[in-house]
């Protein structure tokens, strides 16, 4: 599997994990609050961003790669006014956009791309470095933070839930 295709598939499968965890949170947490208001302000620590931001930034990493591949701007998302339903829709939409990306433009991995950080000089790096050193670490940081927020709020999830992308491999191994 090629570099870009592999990373898109990693983002897709981990976003499916996030989608499943959000579905469980909706079903199991705060049953008397259909809007899940407590989750919309939940933070892991006071100086960290709340759950909606963590979900947006998880999706944003995949969207940034798609934007670079297609030379298109990344769609913005209003985290401050997002409902729990909006967060679930955002994850589903991001998964759909990854699945729709049939041309993985593998030349991106070797080509130079830029990383613009606020109040910092623009960095020039290969597409592979952009994926490996910027997108993927940020993707996992925000994914794990969202997971941890939901766990801290009482969702009974564990490592098996986090690693649920391995279930098809385990099923195949058990079938042989």
């Amino acid at each position: 599997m090629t570099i870009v295709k592999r990373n898109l598939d990693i983002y897709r499968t981990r976003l499916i994990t996030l989608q499943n965890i959000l579905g469980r949170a909706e079903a199991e947490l705060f049953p008397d609050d259909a809007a899940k208001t407590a989750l919309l302000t939940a933070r892991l620590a006071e100086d960290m961003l709340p759950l909606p931001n963590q979900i947006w930034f998880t999706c944003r990493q995949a969207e940034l790669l798609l934007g670079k591949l297609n030379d298109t701007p990344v769609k913005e998302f209003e985290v401050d006014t997002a409902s729990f339903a909006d967060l679930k829709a955002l994850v589903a939409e991001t998964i759909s956009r990854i699945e729709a990306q049939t041309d993985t433009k593998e030349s991106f991995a070797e080509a130079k791309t830029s990383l613009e950080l606020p109040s910092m000089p623009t960095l020039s790096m290969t597409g592979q470095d952009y994926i490996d050193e910027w997108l993927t670490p940020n993707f996992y940081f925000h994914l794990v933070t969202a997971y941890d927020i939901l766990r801290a709020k009482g969702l009974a999830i564990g490592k098996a839930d986090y690693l649920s992308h391995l279930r098809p491999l385990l099923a195949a191994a058990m079938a042989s």
Side-chain angles (χ1 to χ4, degrees):
M1 188 179 292
T2 56
I3 292 167
V4 175
K5 182 171 178 38
R6 176 170 163 63
N7 280 278
L8 286 170
D9 194 54
I10 287 170
Y11 297 158
R12 182 187 63 79
T13 58
R14 282 31 168 219
L15 286 168
I16 291 170
T17 295
L18 179 59
Q19 185 177 49
N20 292 338
I21 291 170
L22 288 174
R24 285 197 43 202
E26 182 176 44
E28 298 172 25
L29 295 179
F30 310 106
D32 297 332
D33 180 9
K36 306 299 176 203
T37 309
L39 293 178
L40 298 177
T41 58
R43 301 169 186 262
L44 196 56
E46 271 308 306
D47 64 343
M48 293 180 79
L49 294 169
L51 181 65
N53 295 78
Q54 302 304 332
I55 292 169
W56 163 234
F57 287 134
T58 303
C59 292
R60 186 170 172 82
Q61 304 318 302
E63 292 288 352
L64 285 168
L65 180 54
L66 292 170
K68 291 271 189 183
L69 294 176
N70 298 309
D71 197 27
T72 56
V74 175
K75 176 185 159 198
E76 292 302 320
F77 182 75
E78 294 297 325
V79 291
D80 296 336
T81 59
S83 67
F84 196 79
D86 292 335
L87 297 175
K88 289 177 50 190
L90 171 66
V91 175
E93 180 182 325
T94 305
I95 293 167
S96 293
R97 286 181 34 78
I98 292 169
E99 291 173 345
Q101 184 70 36
T102 55
D103 180 1
T104 56
K105 303 182 182 185
E106 292 301 324
S107 61
F108 174 78
E110 299 301 321
K112 288 290 186 183
T113 192
S114 61
L115 172 60
E116 296 177 26
L117 302 171
S119 305
M120 301 292 283
T122 298
L123 301 175
S124 177
M125 58 184 62
T126 66
Q128 182 171 354
D129 285 341
Y130 178 71
I131 292 168
D132 293 346
E133 304 300 332
W134 180 255
L135 294 180
T136 300
N138 276 287
F139 179 87
Y140 280 113
F141 175 86
H142 295 291
L143 175 65
V144 170
T145 302
Y147 170 98
D148 289 344
I149 289 169
L150 293 170
R151 173 104 191 233
K153 284 297 184 182
L155 188 60
I157 51 178
K159 195 176 222 179
D161 299 292
Y162 181 75
L163 296 174
S164 64
H165 60 278
L166 293 175
R167 285 187 187 132
L169 294 172
L170 290 170
M174 292 171 64
S176 354

